[in-house]
Amino acid sequence: MPDLMTTWWVWLAAALVLAILEVLAPGFVFLGFAIAAAVVGLALIGPLKLLSVPMLLLIFAALSLTAWMILRRVFALPKGQVKTFDTDINDP
């Protein structure tokens, strides 16, 4: 299993699966994880290929948190604004 966790294409495949899950369950829940998995996968091709599995998971967790915080800041409603609905889709 550790050999599988240090393989670059496994991380990129996980990023693709997480991106597809984001399409099925919108709300920027899985997108941060997908971005982090893609970055770790691309980094395993180059400079990170000699790191251990715990270090890769730590980098993945830190990148996931960072990506989520950036996505939340970029796509959040302006401060103090609340989303309200005046009409219902079922009203005639």
Side-chain angles (χ1 to χ4, degrees), residues 85-92:
F85 299 97
D86 296 327
T87 59
D88 186 11
I89 193 169
N90 295 322
D91 287 341

Side-chain angles (χ1 to χ4, degrees), residues 17-43:
V17 168
L18 288 166
I20 291 170
L21 281 174
E22 178 61 38
V23 172
L24 297 175
F28 305 109
V29 176
F30 296 107
L31 191 57
F33 294 121
I35 291 169
V39 169
V40 170
L42 291 174

Side-chain angles (χ1 to χ4, degrees), residues 38 45 49 53 61 74 83 87 90 92:
I45 294 173
K49 60 183 160 186
V53 173
V74 169
K83 201 181 270 191
T87 59
N90 295 322

